[in-house]
Amino acid sequence: MTSQTNLGKFMPLKDKHILLVDDDAWIRDSMSICLSCEGCRVTTAESAQEGLSIIRQGGVDILICDYQLPDRDGLDLLREAKELAPEVPMILITAFGSRQLYAQAAAIGVDIFIDKPFNSQTIEHAIVRLLEDLPNRAS
Protein backbone atom coordinates (compact mmCIF):
# COMPACT_ATOMS: atom_id res chain seq x y z
CA MET A 1 0.00 0.00 0.00
CA THR A 2 2.82 2.39 0.79
CA SER A 3 4.44 1.85 -2.61
CA GLN A 4 1.13 2.59 -4.38
CA THR A 5 0.75 5.78 -2.37
CA ASN A 6 4.29 6.84 -3.22
CA LEU A 7 3.81 5.90 -6.86
CA GLY A 8 0.85 8.23 -7.14
CA LYS A 9 2.57 11.00 -5.21
CA PHE A 10 5.72 10.91 -7.34
CA MET A 11 4.02 10.25 -10.68
CA PRO A 12 4.61 13.88 -11.79
CA LEU A 13 8.35 13.11 -11.77
CA LYS A 14 8.03 10.44 -14.45
CA ASP A 15 9.90 11.30 -17.64
CA LYS A 16 11.12 14.68 -16.39
CA HIS A 17 14.66 15.64 -17.39
CA ILE A 18 16.48 16.89 -14.33
CA LEU A 19 19.88 18.53 -14.50
CA LEU A 20 21.81 18.19 -11.25
CA VAL A 21 24.92 20.35 -10.89
CA ASP A 22 27.03 19.51 -7.84
CA ASP A 23 30.75 18.93 -7.42
CA ASP A 24 30.16 16.22 -4.81
CA ALA A 25 30.18 12.86 -6.61
CA TRP A 26 28.31 11.15 -3.77
CA ILE A 27 25.42 13.63 -4.01
CA ARG A 28 25.34 13.36 -7.81
CA ASP A 29 25.35 9.57 -7.73
CA SER A 30 22.88 9.07 -4.89
CA MET A 31 20.40 11.66 -6.18
CA SER A 32 20.68 10.25 -9.71
CA ILE A 33 19.82 6.77 -8.47
CA CYS A 34 16.95 8.04 -6.34
CA LEU A 35 15.40 10.24 -9.03
CA SER A 36 15.92 7.64 -11.75
CA CYS A 37 13.98 5.17 -9.61
CA GLU A 38 11.08 7.66 -9.71
CA GLY A 39 11.16 7.64 -13.52
CA CYS A 40 13.21 10.79 -14.10
CA ARG A 41 15.94 11.18 -16.66
CA VAL A 42 18.85 12.66 -14.73
CA THR A 43 21.85 14.39 -16.24
CA THR A 44 24.65 15.40 -13.90
CA ALA A 45 27.41 17.98 -14.10
CA GLU A 46 30.19 18.70 -11.64
CA SER A 47 30.89 22.29 -12.70
CA ALA A 48 28.96 25.38 -13.73
CA GLN A 49 30.53 25.34 -17.18
CA GLU A 50 29.44 21.73 -17.76
CA GLY A 51 25.94 22.51 -16.48
CA LEU A 52 25.56 25.54 -18.75
CA SER A 53 26.68 23.45 -21.72
CA ILE A 54 23.85 21.00 -21.00
CA ILE A 55 21.31 23.81 -20.56
CA ARG A 56 22.33 25.26 -23.94
CA GLN A 57 21.40 21.91 -25.54
CA GLY A 58 17.83 22.36 -24.29
CA GLY A 59 15.33 19.86 -22.98
CA VAL A 60 15.96 20.39 -19.25
CA ASP A 61 12.75 20.38 -17.20
CA ILE A 62 14.25 21.19 -13.77
CA LEU A 63 17.65 22.51 -12.69
CA ILE A 64 19.04 21.55 -9.28
CA CYS A 65 22.24 23.36 -8.44
CA ASP A 66 24.62 23.46 -5.50
CA TYR A 67 25.78 26.87 -4.33
CA GLN A 68 29.48 26.07 -4.11
CA LEU A 69 30.93 24.83 -7.38
CA PRO A 70 34.60 24.57 -8.34
CA ASP A 71 34.58 27.05 -11.22
CA ARG A 72 31.85 29.57 -10.24
CA ASP A 73 29.30 29.93 -7.53
CA GLY A 74 25.88 28.47 -8.08
CA LEU A 75 24.22 31.89 -8.25
CA ASP A 76 26.30 32.75 -11.32
CA LEU A 77 25.20 29.51 -12.94
CA LEU A 78 21.54 30.09 -12.04
CA ARG A 79 21.65 33.68 -13.30
CA GLU A 80 23.00 32.58 -16.68
CA ALA A 81 20.67 29.57 -16.80
CA LYS A 82 17.70 31.89 -16.28
CA GLU A 83 18.79 33.94 -19.30
CA LEU A 84 19.26 30.83 -21.44
CA ALA A 85 16.12 28.96 -20.35
CA PRO A 86 13.77 31.24 -18.38
CA GLU A 87 11.03 28.59 -18.26
CA VAL A 88 13.16 26.05 -16.36
CA PRO A 89 12.36 25.93 -12.62
CA MET A 90 15.38 26.06 -10.34
CA ILE A 91 16.26 24.53 -6.98
CA LEU A 92 19.30 25.73 -5.03
CA ILE A 93 20.93 23.38 -2.53
CA THR A 94 23.45 24.74 -0.07
CA ALA A 95 25.24 24.17 3.19
CA PHE A 96 25.85 27.91 3.44
CA GLY A 97 22.34 29.32 3.63
CA SER A 98 21.87 32.88 4.81
CA ARG A 99 19.23 35.55 4.40
CA GLN A 100 21.48 37.38 1.97
CA LEU A 101 22.02 34.27 -0.16
CA TYR A 102 18.31 33.45 -0.20
CA ALA A 103 17.46 37.05 -1.16
CA GLN A 104 19.98 37.00 -4.01
CA ALA A 105 18.72 33.63 -5.23
CA ALA A 106 15.08 34.74 -5.04
CA ALA A 107 15.95 37.83 -7.10
CA ILE A 108 17.38 35.54 -9.80
CA GLY A 109 14.24 33.44 -9.78
CA VAL A 110 15.16 30.38 -7.72
CA ASP A 111 11.95 28.53 -6.91
CA ILE A 112 13.01 26.37 -3.95
CA PHE A 113 15.91 26.39 -1.48
CA ILE A 114 17.11 23.21 0.20
CA ASP A 115 19.61 23.28 3.03
CA LYS A 116 22.22 20.57 3.40
CA PRO A 117 22.13 18.03 4.80
CA PHE A 118 19.00 16.71 3.12
CA ASN A 119 17.59 13.32 2.19
CA SER A 120 16.08 11.91 -0.98
CA GLN A 121 12.53 12.53 0.22
CA THR A 122 13.29 16.22 0.69
CA ILE A 123 14.39 16.51 -2.96
CA GLU A 124 11.52 14.39 -4.29
CA HIS A 125 8.91 16.39 -2.39
CA ALA A 126 10.48 19.68 -3.49
CA ILE A 127 10.36 18.63 -7.14
CA VAL A 128 6.77 17.41 -6.87
CA ARG A 129 5.78 20.69 -5.20
CA LEU A 130 7.58 22.61 -7.92
CA LEU A 131 5.78 20.68 -10.67
CA GLU A 132 2.42 21.18 -8.97
CA ASP A 133 3.07 24.93 -8.82
CA LEU A 134 4.14 25.26 -12.48
CA PRO A 135 0.64 26.07 -13.77
CA ASN A 136 0.50 28.95 -11.25
CA ARG A 137 3.82 30.52 -12.27
CA ALA A 138 3.71 33.87 -13.99
CA SER A 139 4.95 33.69 -17.56
Side-chain angles (χ1 to χ4, degrees):
M1 185 129 153
T2 302
S3 62
Q4 288 178 347
T5 303
N6 286 341
L7 180 63
K9 185 184 295 184
F10 298 121
M11 196 62 168
L13 299 178
K14 187 168 173 28
D15 299 324
K16 296 298 178 192
H17 181 199
I18 297 175
L19 171 58
L20 170 62
V21 184
D22 197 307
D23 61 325
D24 185 321
W26 187 87
I27 289 177
R28 286 193 317 272
D29 292 346
S30 60
M31 285 180 57
S32 290
I33 291 167
C34 172
L35 293 168
S36 295
C37 287
E38 297 299 342
C40 298
R41 184 167 60 100
V42 181
T43 304
T44 62
E46 63 181 287
S47 69
Q49 183 172 346
E50 188 180 354
L52 288 169
S53 176
I54 295 164
I55 291 167
R56 285 185 186 101
Q57 295 171 22
V60 173
D61 294 310
I62 297 171
L63 170 59
I64 302 173
C65 178
D66 187 24
Y67 174 63
Q68 280 203 320
L69 297 170
D71 53 346
R72 298 164 70 172
D73 77 39
L75 291 183
D76 287 341
L77 169 97
L78 294 169
R79 193 175 291 112
E80 192 166 339
K82 193 58 134 177
E83 292 174 13
L84 293 169
E87 74 287 354
V88 174
M90 301 184 296
I91 297 173
L92 177 65
I93 54 178
T94 183
F96 304 97
S98 68
R99 284 185 179 179
Q100 181 181 6
L101 174 63
Y102 296 146
Q104 291 172 330
I108 293 168
V110 171
D111 297 282
I112 294 178
F113 308 95
I114 297 176
D115 290 316
K116 291 182 179 178
F118 58 85
N119 61 35
S120 61
Q121 287 181 332
T122 302
I123 293 291
E124 290 170 348
H125 288 285
I127 294 170
V128 169
R129 192 170 75 238
L130 214 162
L131 293 172
E132 289 171 347
D133 288 346
L134 280 181
N136 301 324
R137 285 174 57 148
S139 302

